[in-house]
Structures are given as structure tokens and as C-alpha cells.
Amino acid sequence: MPDAAYDLVIVGAGPAGLSGAIYAARAGLRAVVLDRGVAGGTVMLTPMMDNYLGVGSVKGMALAKEMKAHASRYAEIREGVNVSDVSLCDDIFSVTTDSGSLQAKALLIATGGRHRTLGIPGEERLAGRGVSYCATCDGFLFKGKSVVVVGGGSTALTEAAYLVRLGIDVTLVHRRAEMRAERSLQDDYRSLNGKLALNSVVEEILGEKRVEGVRLRRLDTGRAEVLKCDGAFISIGYEPSNELAKRLGLELNPDGTIKTDRAQRTSMHYVYAAGDITGGVMQAITGAAAGAVAALSAYEDLAKPYWRRAIK
């Protein structure tokens, strides 16, 4: 391949992107990380993390700061840079940003996404103070307490059952009379004696400094009631930031995340993806691991170009 300004352009400065930058640089690749916000990704929004190996209990913002400082020792990190387009010409990627364009031999997409919100009073104000979008991340904090889980799909039922097994009193709130989740998941949740509030919506999340309850409204009767609880887990879907993937024509999974093989390769030569944009568990530690794998795959492919086999 002809020379380019960078060996690897990484779009997204969450755990996957920052880890990818470290591993790429240590392998001898010239890498740059671009992010439209600030480095750290969703870790920045996590009040307290207790499950990142070797760290113990740490504020998400503090961990994000350490991640950025570590990656900055190896690669250039540009924050507040929006990537508007990516194109490929003569085996070189042209990455267009609002402050100019870059060229690269390879591309790592680590753009993540965002959880869908209810958009109701109290949700944004109490985010991180009882309002959560990840049972795996925050469920442990609610052991012995009571929470509501909002949603009726497979993810909501899976998270609700997970929380019950942690010893949490769970009420699943769903706007329809029937849930959309797989029958086996519904049966599992019911076998755990999980509570249900069907034909109901959460209209407001209550509390001053922390979640103290939710205001429910029955859609079939119009009756409103206050349900006291210590937390509200919102599980109504995830929106991957896949705009660049679509522009490149990458193969996507049914949920819009980017399809990769075990080496984080996508359906296009020299394009890799890692972190929440690829779906799966969506944890900081798995994102960091996937970013490392993607960077090493890029190094391997750039050192000895390969002919892609179909992703299984």
C-alpha cells in the first residue's frame, strides 16, 4: 500500500479506541484517535465503577482521565473533532473532519452508541443516582433494595432476571399487555417470582438526591400511582453510532451494530470495529480488550496484507 499520513485512524476515544491506540503504537503503527466529544466514552458518565479489573472502586471520570493519560503517551488524541465522512481511494482512506482531512492505511471504528431514554421528568436529573441503563454495570449496588426495570424486550427480561438473582426486588414495567421477549425469558423471570406491571408506563422518576420512586400510569384504566423504589433501570433499546459504517457499506448485525469476526475485522479490507459499536456485553473491560485485538489485527494485516475470507 502507498504511504499515508497515518497507519491507523481510530474514530472514538472510549475504552476500545484508547486501548487500540496503545496497542497500535506499541506495535509500531502511527495512530491518531478522533472523538467528537471528550476521551473516555460512556465511562465518563458512570458515577462509580467497581468491576474494572485491578482498579477496584473508582469514579468513572477518574478512570477515563487515567485512560486518556495512558493512551496519550503513545498516540495523538484529538477531542472535539467530528468525523463527517470516510472514503476509500487507491487503498487509502480519506477521513473528513470539521477541521480538515486525514489519510490512513487502516481504520478502526469505535464510535459506540447510546441507550434510548424515556425522556420523562427526573430521568436525566437522577441519571447515575438511581437511574441506570446497564444492569451488569450497576446492579450490584442495589442488592437488598427494590428497583423497576422499564421495557418488554429480551434485553429487559434478561436484565430483570439478572437483578432478581442478585437479591433485588424487581418490578418489570411494560406498556403492553404482552411482552415482546422470548417466551423462555418470560418463563424464567416468572419462575423467579419477578413482579410485573403490564399495561403501564413510567411518567416520572421521583426523588431529590436519589431515586425514591416512580409515578406509574395504567394505560387501560388511566389510573396513576406512585411505586416506591430505590432505582430505575431503563432497557428500551440501544442506538449504535453506525453512520460511518453505513457510508463505507460495512455489513451490520440486525440491531445495527457492526458485524466483525473474532479478530475484530469487518466486511471491508483494513477496517476494524471494537467496543459497543459491535454489540455484545458492552462493558468497559470488553471494549478495551476488543480494541487491543483490533489494533493487533491491523498491524498483522498491514505487515502482511491478507485476502479476506467471509465473516462467519
Side-chain angles (χ1 to χ4, degrees), residues 64-116:
K65 183 178 179 181
E66 289 298 320
M67 288 179 172
K68 176 186 174 182
H70 189 181
S72 296
R73 287 162 40 195
Y74 292 93
E76 181 183 359
I77 299 174
R78 301 186 190 180
E79 298 174 299
V81 175
N82 180 55
V83 176
S84 58
D85 197 14
V86 177
S87 58
L88 179 64
C89 182
D90 295 330
D91 289 331
I92 294 295
F93 292 97
S94 179
V95 181
T96 303
T97 76
D98 48 14
S99 57
S101 62
L102 307 172
Q103 287 188 320
K105 299 176 183 178
L107 180 70
L108 169 54
I109 301 176
T111 47
R114 62 185 181 276
H115 293 279
R116 293 192 181 114

Side-chain angles (χ1 to χ4, degrees), residues 206-222:
L206 308 171
E208 291 298 323
K209 295 183 179 180
R210 293 195 58 81
V211 172
E212 298 173 3
V214 296
R215 190 182 310 281
L216 297 180
R217 181 170 297 278
R218 292 272 309 190
L219 295 178
D220 50 355
T221 65

